[in-house]
Amino acid sequence: MTGYTMLRNGGAGNGGQTCMLRWSNRIRLTWLSFTLFVILVFFPLIAHYYLTTLDEADEAGKRIFGPRAGSELCEVKHVLDLCRIRESVSEELLQLEAKRQELNSEIAKLNLKIEACKKSIENAKQDLLQLKNVISQTEHSYKELMAQNQPKLSLPIRLLPEKDDAGLPPPKVIRGCRLHNCFDYSRCPLTSGFPVYVYDSDQFVLGSHLDPLVKQAFQATARANVYVTENADIACLYVILVGEMQEPVVLRPAELEKQLYSLPHWRRDGHNHVIINLSRKSDTQNLLYNVSTGRAMVAQSTFYAVQYRPGFDLVVSPLVHAMSEPNFMEIPPQVPVKRKYLFTFQGEKIESLRSSLQEARSFEEEMEGDPPADYDDRIIATLKAVQDSKLDQVLVEFTCKNQPKPSLPTEWALCGEREDRLELLKLSTFALIITPGDPRLVISSGCATRLFEALEVGAVPVVLGEQVQLPYQDMLQWNEAALVVPKPRVTEVHFLLRSLSDSDLLAMRRQGRFLWETYFSTADSIFNTVLAMIRTRIQIPAAPIREEAAAEIPHRSGKAAGTDPNMADNGDLDLGPVETEPPYASPKYLRNFTLTVTDFHRSWNSAPGPFHLFPHTPFDPVLPSEAKFLGSGTGFRPIGGGAGGSGKEFQAALGGNVPREQFTVVMLTYEREEVLMNSLERLNGLPYLNKVVVVWNSPKLPSEDLLWPDIGVPIMVVRTEKNSLNNRFLPWNEIETEAILSIDDDAHLRHDEIMFGFRVWREARDRIVGFPGRYHAWDIPHQSWLYNSNYSCELSMVLTGAAFFHKYYAYLYSYVMPQAIRDMVDEYINCEDIAMNFLVSHITRKPPIKVTSRWTFRCPGCPQALSHDDSHFHERHKCINFFVKVYGYMPLLYTQFRVDSVLFKTRLPHDKTKCFKFI
């Protein structure tokens, strides 16, 4: 307000001066800005106008600022370099343009080719589709022709006879009973499965008189038998136990006959019945003598000629081990072959004993004719002469030191207790068995007991008397395990025994051990053998052996499995045609209904051959025919000229006579998920792989988030009941192929190695074929066997951590091999591979086959396994020595044989290298 008043009043004072100063400054700035604007704007315009006017002069040479020609610019020194650069760039641009046009032309041609290829592919697809249709039609036509020529038979309708059916008319003479006139086949169709009904002895008066041990053992084995049924209406066979009786029970023939005829399913004549009389002692009564058994079969250890019906009745072994298994530790080894005594005999002949043969009259009023010649005096004189000659150490005693066991007339009574007799037989190479002097006595329990004890301890039986009926004689070939010599040849016995070679003697001892274990040793083996004999006689196939039901562990799959180039690289080895078909099983076993006809004796006597059909463990239908199983697979090959030689034809069939076959990988694992997944991935793309069965041996299930690899074939994860290495060899029902590749979860094998091993196995189907070889050795200082894994020039075992074997051996290992071996494997958590090698060598009498030069197969970087423990080898030493005791001898066989490709490490000319890919 003050300043405004002062200006209004004339602007006197300092305020007026300040205002004038500000006004003059503003004028100066405005003038300066205007001057600069004129200079910066108008001066360039004027200059531009002036210069433009000068360039419009008529004389072109006087232009100063106008554009000049290129040649004139090049004359300028500092522009010369730029000109050269421009010319070079121009030339390169021209070249690039030419190349671009050339590439465009090639692209156009390639596009035309692509279109042509697409059309060709479409045409090929159409042709392939047509070919598939033709193949499908051809296969359909082939199946129709096969169906016309070999029609598939339907199972026959089973006809059951009426409950009160009287059956066949009675034979004129009861002694003339045979299967064709005393057995009712209508109750036993081929498809019946051979049902057997066993009477409960406790429900009858007869059962109260039975020996408690015999009755208990019989009932236990009947309950566990696969053929026994509780439905009597559908039964093919009816079994009743009548002995052995308790002492001093004496059952009269009339009373026993009355009880038999009162059985609810006897049907007036007892057809399809089996009366079993088991003996535990050498003086067991012949209960069924003078008893009319009708059409019922009789199975016992003592028979007179008047009551024995050949081909109908059965001679069985005595029941020595009623409720106990044989102790393998007490059984002497089968080697050395020669023992202290060449042969031994202890017995006493008692003529004064009375028996049922002397007391009673038979239903034929005794036998007629003159009494037979008695060679016993000559036998005594000859054997004493051999003993006195001291050419060989023998022991014969014709008088017992103690009271002899009761026996039948003309029979040589046993001396001493069983333990004393066994100790003497353990020192005997041969055991003499003198049959009763009365030929009317076909077999006695005393002779059967001598035979049982000789086989048990490995003394080869020498039976003097060819008229004797040995147990199961119509099925077993006793000449492979015993010597049967007529009594008149007693003077030649010494010469015969001396002439046997050690190899023959060992073979007979081994066969005798097999017969004893399979058909004599326990109540279970005796009962199963009786049923197997009858079933074989009436030609009914055995029931399928059971398989282990696989309890699958659910798991997630879908992880894409990569292919390790080191695993899939086959080098120069061509694997042959890679199959694109889905997994398929091995052919089914189709000979079940004809096996009992074609292989009658082989199935009972081929032990310890590779394919024995145990009566209590018959084959499963999935197993192959025996001819196929035994075949070497080489087939016919031309000798002079023609096709062949390059290996291509052989390679196309992978070896063997079966062109289409696959194998199953069985992999045992225990809580090593990462190692397992890596091993499974390495199987990706492996040809001829049917499936992978992972045996999960841990009680802890796999991780829920574990993603399993997709390798193109099914992966079956099987849960086990317990952690046992024996689970590796269980015959799982998921294994549908004959070939099994047992492999550890840390095994590291290439595809070509696996395929080569598979090819070799197909030519040796009864052997173990694998990669890591081991051998056994005799420790001289400690007199025991050792396990050795060092590099050597020979081997006797192939570890099953990477080996092929037939599924047949999985059945034998799990169900037939002595339980003591499997128990030791569980005890040590070790030695299952040694046990399998023992089993196969014992059955086949052949060593395993090693393929390739591979000695180890562990993957690099994997965690250490149990085999790296210091105690691992000590346990394997113990296992080998224990297994030898169980088998009675060392079944392992040495070999220096190794299989490689035909042209392995062979230098070939350049023009012959194609041959190698077919080997």
Side-chain angles (χ1 to χ4, degrees):
M1 259 330 261
T2 304
Y4 175 75
T5 306
M6 291 175 62
L7 289 173
R8 191 175 179 182
N9 294 329
N14 292 334
Q17 294 177 1
T18 303
C19 183
M20 291 298 294
L21 181 59
R22 290 178 179 174
W23 183 77
S24 60
N25 289 336
R26 288 178 180 176
I27 292 175
R28 292 174 184 172
L29 291 173
T30 302
W31 176 251
L32 180 61
S33 300
F34 178 76
T35 304
L36 291 174
F37 176 77
V38 171
I39 293 172
L40 293 175
V41 174
F42 289 97
F43 182 77
L45 292 175
I46 294 170
H48 179 267
Y49 175 79
Y50 175 75
L51 292 175
T52 304
T53 303
L54 290 178
D55 286 338
E56 292 178 354
D58 294 335
E59 296 179 5
K62 296 181 179 181
R63 288 181 298 179
I64 300 174
F65 298 100
R68 298 175 180 269
S71 57
E72 296 177 358
L73 291 175
C74 291
E75 296 176 359
V76 182
K77 184 176 182 180
H78 64 276
V79 183
L80 292 176
D81 294 337
L82 295 177
C83 292
R84 285 193 297 270
I85 293 173
R86 187 187 68 174
E87 292 176 355
S88 176
V89 170
S90 298
E91 291 178 358
E92 290 181 359
L93 289 175
L94 292 175
Q95 294 176 359
L96 290 175
E97 179 64 20
K99 290 183 179 180
R100 186 183 68 83
Q101 294 178 358
E102 184 179 353
L103 290 175
N104 288 335
S105 177
E106 292 181 359
I107 290 173
K109 294 179 180 179
L110 291 176
N111 288 331
L112 294 176
K113 291 183 179 180
I114 290 174
E115 294 297 330
C117 291
K118 288 181 178 180
K119 293 180 180 180
S120 177
I121 291 173
E122 292 296 330
N123 295 333
K125 287 182 178 180
Q126 295 295 330
D127 295 341
L128 180 61
L129 183 60
Q130 293 178 1
L131 289 175
K132 287 183 178 180
N133 293 333
V134 171
I135 293 174
S136 177
Q137 294 175 0
T138 305
E139 290 179 350
H140 183 70
S141 301
Y142 174 76
K143 291 179 180 179
E144 289 182 348
L145 292 174
M146 291 295 295
Q148 293 175 3
N149 297 327
Q150 297 179 353
K152 186 176 181 180
L153 298 177
S154 299
L155 294 178
I157 299 176
R158 183 179 180 185
L159 301 177
L160 295 177
E162 296 295 335
K163 184 176 182 181
D164 298 329
D165 182 22
L168 300 173
K172 295 180 180 181
V173 182
I174 297 299
R175 284 191 60 202
C177 258
R178 300 296 184 268
L179 289 175
H180 69 277
N181 59 1
C182 287
F183 190 84
D184 186 5
Y185 281 90
S186 65
R187 300 195 66 89
C188 306
L190 288 175
T191 58
S192 63
F194 192 59
V196 178
Y197 179 79
V198 179
Y199 289 100
D200 187 359
S201 301
D202 294 332
Q203 296 181 0
F204 305 99
V205 179
L206 186 65
S208 60
H209 304 312
L210 294 176
D211 185 302
L213 287 178
V214 173
K215 182 171 65 174
Q216 184 179 358
F218 181 80
Q219 291 175 347
T221 187
R223 284 192 299 267
N225 194 276
V226 67
Y227 298 105
V228 173
T229 179
E230 297 180 357
N231 188 356
D233 294 334
I234 66 171
C236 164
L237 200 66
Y238 300 86
V239 179
I240 178 67
L241 179 67
V242 299
E244 176 176 70
M245 291 291 183
Q246 300 184 70
E247 295 180 351
V249 175
V250 177
L251 201 62
R252 294 185 177 182
E255 184 179 354
L256 178 58
E257 185 175 322
K258 180 180 178 181
Q259 294 189 27
L260 291 176
Y261 277 77
S262 65
L263 294 175
H265 306 285
W266 188 260
R267 296 186 180 90
R268 292 190 285 274
D269 59 3
H271 60 275
N272 291 45
H273 275 66
V274 180
I275 305 173
I276 299 180
N277 180 21
L278 298 177
S279 60
R280 293 184 58 235
K281 300 183 292 294
S282 61
D283 59 336
T284 300
Q285 306 173 47
N286 187 4
L287 293 175
L288 298 174
Y289 186 74
N290 279 341
V291 175
S292 177
T293 57
R295 286 193 175 93
M297 301 178 188
V298 177
Q300 61 181 10
S301 300
T302 301
F303 275 105
Y304 297 113
V306 294
Q307 67 177 139
Y308 179 68
R309 295 165 291 184
F312 192 73
D313 293 329
L314 295 89
V315 178
V316 300
S317 62
L319 181 60
V320 178
H321 300 287
M323 293 298 296
S324 61
E325 294 288 336
N327 188 354
F328 292 102
M329 303 303 294
E330 296 179 357
I331 299 176
Q334 299 184 26
V335 290
V337 177
K338 300 294 180 61
R339 296 178 178 177
K340 179 180 179 180
Y341 298 108
L342 177 63
F343 62 84
T344 59
F345 177 81
Q346 284 182 326
E348 184 172 344
K349 191 173 183 180
I350 304 176
E351 298 286 352
S352 61
L353 290 179
R354 299 177 60 82
S355 67
S356 58
L357 181 62
Q358 294 173 320
E359 291 178 349
R361 307 288 292 176
S362 72
F363 27 72
E364 292 190 355
E365 295 296 326
E366 296 289 355
M367 280 74 67
E368 299 178 357
D370 297 330
D374 191 355
Y375 290 96
D376 288 351
D377 294 338
R378 186 187 306 176
I379 291 174
I380 294 174
T382 302
L383 296 181
K384 284 185 175 181
V386 174
Q387 184 178 20
D388 295 339
S389 67
K390 297 183 180 180
L391 295 176
D392 289 293
Q393 195 169 0
V394 299
L395 176 62
V396 290
E397 296 178 353
F398 301 103
T399 303
C400 296
K401 298 178 181 178
N402 300 320
Q403 183 67 24
K405 302 295 180 181
S407 62
L408 298 175
T410 72
E411 181 186 19
W412 288 91
L414 294 170
C415 296
E417 299 299 329
R418 166 177 159 81
E419 292 74 15
D420 299 330
R421 296 194 300 269
L422 291 181
E423 289 300 323
L424 179 61
L425 290 174
K426 290 178 182 179
L427 303 175
S428 307
T429 306
F430 297 93
L432 293 185
I433 302 175
I434 304 176
T435 59
D438 189 351
R440 295 172 295 183
L441 188 58
V442 176
I443 183 66
S444 66
S445 58
C447 286
T449 301
R450 289 182 183 272
L451 179 65
F452 181 95
E453 294 176 351
L455 295 176
E456 182 178 4
V457 297
V460 177
V462 180
V463 182
L464 292 178
E466 79 285 358
Q467 80 282 357
V468 68
Q469 288 289 330
L470 298 178
Y472 322 120
Q473 186 165 331
D474 54 346
M475 294 291 179
L476 301 181
Q477 294 180 354
W478 278 104
N479 60 340
E480 296 180 358
L483 293 175
V484 180
V485 182
K487 285 186 177 181
R489 293 189 180 274
V490 64
T491 57
E492 301 171 337
V493 168
H494 188 208
F495 172 79
L496 289 175
L497 302 186
R498 288 284 301 270
S499 63
L500 278 176
S501 64
D502 289 353
S503 59
D504 292 338
L505 182 56
L506 182 59
M508 295 181 69
R509 183 175 293 168
R510 186 169 56 245
Q511 180 73 1
R513 172 71 175 271
F514 165 78
L515 296 180
W516 177 78
E517 289 182 358
T518 308
Y519 306 114
F520 293 77
S521 58
T522 63
D524 185 67
S525 61
I526 293 175
F527 182 67
N528 286 325
T529 303
V530 170
L531 296 185
M533 284 191 64
I534 300 174
R535 178 184 54 77
T536 306
R537 283 177 175 178
I538 62 178
Q539 299 178 357
I540 292 182
I545 192 171
R546 69 180 180 92
E547 292 188 303
E548 290 294 324
E552 184 178 6
I553 300 177
H555 59 280
R556 294 189 305 155
S557 60
K559 176 184 176 182
T563 302
D564 188 350
N566 296 325
M567 303 300 297
D569 183 17
N570 302 321
D572 295 327
L573 183 61
D574 189 1
L575 297 182
V578 179
E579 298 193 16
T580 58
E581 295 180 294
Y584 56 85
S586 296
K588 300 295 183 181
Y589 188 71
L590 302 177
R591 294 181 57 211
N592 283 4
F593 294 104
T594 57
L595 182 65
T596 55
V597 180
T598 58
D599 297 330
F600 184 76
H601 280 285
R602 182 187 305 177
S603 61
W604 285 77
N605 300 280
S606 59
F611 312 108
H612 172 72
L613 305 183
F614 292 80
H616 53 290
T617 54
F619 264 160
D620 184 85
V622 302
L623 294 183
S625 63
E626 190 165 343
K628 172 183 172 184
F629 200 40
L630 286 167
S632 63
T634 54
F636 172 77
R637 298 297 297 273
I639 297 178
S646 67
K648 180 177 181 181
E649 296 81 5
F650 185 81
Q651 165 64 41
L654 269 183
N657 290 323
V658 184
R660 300 174 71 248
E661 189 170 16
Q662 295 178 340
F663 62 91
T664 301
V665 167
V666 176
M667 186 177 295
L668 188 73
T669 186
Y670 186 90
E671 296 184 2
R672 297 200 296 180
E673 295 180 353
E674 183 179 357
V675 174
L676 175 63
M677 295 301 107
N678 293 334
S679 296
L680 292 175
E681 288 186 6
R682 287 194 291 269
L683 299 177
N684 183 33
L686 179 61
Y688 303 100
L689 177 60
N690 180 273
K691 70 173 61 171
V692 179
V693 177
V694 177
V695 181
W696 192 264
N697 226 20
S698 171
K700 180 181 177 182
L701 295 179
S703 305
E704 296 182 357
D705 57 347
L706 182 63
L707 193 60
W708 296 68
D710 184 4
I711 61 175
V713 296
I715 297 178
M716 176 70 65
V717 185
V718 178
R719 185 175 184 177
T720 58
E721 296 181 358
K722 64 176 182 178
N723 177 21
S724 172
L725 293 179
N726 293 315
N727 295 331
R728 179 195 296 271
F729 302 124
L730 284 174
W732 302 104
N733 58 354
E734 291 296 332
I735 301 176
E736 299 177 319
T737 60
E738 299 174 18
I740 296 177
L741 172 58
S742 174
I743 189 169
D744 288 341
D745 57 0
D746 58 353
H748 196 273
L749 294 174
R750 300 193 311 270
H751 288 186
D752 63 303
E753 293 174 322
I754 295 176
M755 291 307 303
F756 184 70
F758 181 46
R759 189 175 310 142
V760 173
W761 176 86
R762 296 189 67 191
E763 298 185 70
R765 307 174 74 88
D766 60 333
R767 316 268 287 271
I768 297 178
V769 176
F771 300 88
R774 301 293 186 265
Y775 68 98
H776 66 288
W778 180 251
D779 185 5
I780 298 178
H782 298 89
Q783 293 294 296
S784 63
W785 294 102
L786 296 177
Y787 170 85
N788 204 311
S789 62
N790 296 329
Y791 291 92
S792 65
C793 296
E794 59 186 7
L795 58 96
S796 60
M797 292 174 283
V798 167
L799 300 187
T800 55
F804 286 92
F805 62 89
H806 201 285
K807 188 180 179 182
Y808 172 81
Y809 295 120
Y811 295 101
L812 295 186
Y813 185 97
S814 302
Y815 304 139
V816 178
M817 188 179 69
Q819 180 63 37
I821 295 180
R822 294 191 292 271
D823 292 341
M824 190 167 196
V825 170
D826 288 336
E827 178 183 354
Y828 286 152
I829 316 179
N830 198 346
C831 307
E832 84 287 356
D833 47 359
I834 301 178
M836 177 59 82
N837 277 272
F838 265 71
L839 174 66
V840 177
S841 295
H842 170 66
I843 295 297
T844 63
R845 303 306 303 136
K846 299 177 183 177
I849 296 179
K850 173 177 170 51
V851 293
T852 75
S853 59
R854 180 78 75 101
W855 201 261
T856 59
F857 55 91
R858 300 296 178 188
C859 64
C862 292
Q864 288 189 349
L866 295 174
S867 58
H868 293 274
D869 192 354
D870 293 338
S871 62
H872 176 75
F873 285 93
H874 297 288
E875 293 172 351
R876 294 173 86 80
H877 299 330
K878 295 179 181 178
C879 287
I880 286 185
N881 288 280
F882 178 77
F883 295 166
V884 168
K885 291 182 179 179
V886 172
Y887 283 98
Y889 74 111
M890 169 55 76
L892 298 179
L893 300 173
Y894 290 108
T895 180
Q896 295 184 350
F897 179 73
R898 191 187 83 192
V899 179
D900 285 300
S901 180
V902 175
L903 299 181
F904 176 69
K905 290 187 176 180
T906 301
R907 295 183 178 182
L908 297 175
H910 178 71
D911 58 341
K912 299 293 184 180
T913 54
K914 292 183 180 180
C915 177
F916 183 70
K917 67 173 65 177
F918 301 123
I919 299 303

